Amino acid sequence: MTAEGSEGAPQAARKAHQLTDGARKALGDSRAAINLRWLRTLSGAPVDRILDVLTEVDALVPIEKEMRRRQVAGGRSSYAQICAPFELYALVRLLQPKHIVETGVSSGISSAHFLMALDKNRSGTLHSIDFPTHQRGPVLAADESPVSVPPGLSSGWAIPFRSTRWDLRIGESQVLLPKLVEELPAIDVFLHDDLHTPEHLTFELETIRPKLSPSALVLADNTKWTGDAAPQFANSFHARISRRGTKDLVGFRLPAPRRTKGTPA
Ligand SMILES: C[S@@+](CC[C@H](N)C(=O)[O-])C[C@H]1O[C@@H](n2cnc3c(N)ncnc32)[C@H](O)[C@@H]1O
């Protein structure tokens, strides 16, 4: 019997919370509390399998602590970027993508969680594009964006480990994304987290469209600023957008190709 069948959905959600709470506290942001419902919708995986993967998250605590320490040393009281680091980790463990593309790295919270999952999978590559802005002095000034990079550091500056699975490209997504997409055989996971305008999100989604693999996962953060760009793109595949709780991080899966008679399962 599944955890959901034997214990019910609220119990499974509690268990997911327990399994990830140490890492959330180590990272230091209450918004990162796991959303099991969103994870189930996007992964399509059984609850037992998801909880299995979430048992791995506690091993990330030393890395989360160090990322938090670096953020604080860089003058940030909260990491204030992607709100779903543990869902990103779990989705990559569950979906086993070969190619992940993300736009927007900054200190590297999303990148780090993608990479830790790819390293655990022992397969796949994260292709990241970032066009960083730089902080003026050693301490973040009140008028500066927390996504700016502290002096002497570069995109991904809070990530305390190296991974051979990271293909990081520095420059504007308007220039670099079309080139990257041309090089890739397929894109299994895409995360938009850079310039949050409707025009730019539409540009990125239309650029990746030809290479999205069957059942690809598409994620977009800060969609309160990007109007109908994400839902319209999802609609074009007859797919439904799934919002992470009350946050404006959304995702959807491309529909799997229909099996015709005689096609092996
Ligand atoms: C919200 S932050 C990314 C946060 C990151 N995903 C995380 O989880 O830590 C946005 C990043 O996108 C970069 N950016 C903004 N416009 C861009 C563009 N046109 N092309 C590439 N990167 C851009 C910003 O400089 C910043 O580093």
Side-chain angles (χ1 to χ4, degrees):
M1 195 179 276
T2 64
E4 196 178 24
S6 58
E7 301 174 56
Q11 282 86 346
R14 259 198 298 280
K15 194 158 187 178
H17 196 269
Q18 282 164 7
L19 290 171
T20 53
D21 210 38
R24 180 193 65 75
K25 285 185 178 137
L27 186 56
D29 197 316
S30 59
R31 298 175 318 145
I34 196 102
N35 187 319
L36 183 63
R37 183 192 292 260
W38 193 65
L39 199 43
R40 285 182 61 200
T41 305
L42 292 181
S43 68
V47 171
D48 277 351
R49 175 72 191 117
I50 296 176
L51 292 177
D52 244 18
V53 159
L54 294 181
T55 59
E56 298 167 8
V57 169
D58 208 45
L60 312 182
V61 164
I63 288 170
E64 308 294 350
K65 268 192 187 153
E66 179 56 19
M67 287 196 287
R68 166 91 175 135
R69 193 195 65 73
R70 292 182 185 206
Q71 296 276 1
V72 172
R76 286 133 183 88
S77 59
S78 137
Y79 72 86
Q81 290 166 22
I82 200 92
C83 63
F86 308 117
E87 287 95 325
L88 295 187
Y89 175 88
L91 284 165
V92 172
R93 291 287 290 130
L94 293 162
L95 301 177
Q96 300 275 316
K98 290 277 168 280
H99 294 282
I100 304 175
V101 173
E102 71 166 347
T103 55
V105 174
S106 183
S107 69
I109 301 296
S110 53
S111 314
H113 291 83
F114 280 141
L115 289 169
M116 290 190 283
L118 289 177
D119 284 341
K120 186 88 179 167
N121 288 351
R122 295 174 175 221
S123 85
T125 304
L126 170 65
H127 309 271
S128 307
I129 293 175
D130 196 42
F131 187 58
T133 52
H134 289 273
Q135 190 178 303
R136 292 190 297 270
V139 178
L140 185 74
D143 65 340
E144 286 182 301
S145 164
V147 307
S148 58
V149 173
L153 300 177
S154 50
S155 302
W157 58 269
I159 305 178
F161 61 89
R162 286 179 190 275
S163 172
T164 54
R165 301 193 177 279
W166 201 12
D167 165 25
L168 170 62
R169 303 178 184 206
I170 301 297
E172 286 180 296
S173 130
Q174 293 90 324
V175 178
L176 298 187
L177 187 62
K179 287 185 191 159
L180 171 62
V181 170
E182 219 178 281
E183 287 171 30
L184 296 180
I187 298 169
D188 307 303
V189 175
F190 176 73
L191 169 65
H192 156 88
D193 195 14
D194 61 344
L195 175 61
H196 301 300
T197 65
E199 297 73 24
H200 187 67
L201 177 54
T202 299
F203 155 76
E204 291 191 342
L205 295 173
E206 291 304 332
T207 303
I208 62 168
R209 183 193 286 273
K211 292 286 178 77
L212 285 171
S213 60
S215 308
L217 168 66
V218 177
L219 301 161
D221 201 7
N222 294 111
T223 54
K224 65 173 179 259
W225 293 318
T226 52
D228 288 337
Q232 267 174 12
F233 188 71
N235 282 346
S236 73
F237 293 98
H238 306 289
R240 274 191 61 191
I241 285 271
S242 174
R243 175 178 293 275
R244 184 184 181 271
T246 57
K247 302 282 184 266
D248 61 350
L249 172 61
V250 304
F252 72 92
R253 296 282 297 281
L254 263 62
R258 283 217 194 120
R259 272 194 215 118
T260 48
K261 248 188 172 176
T263 311

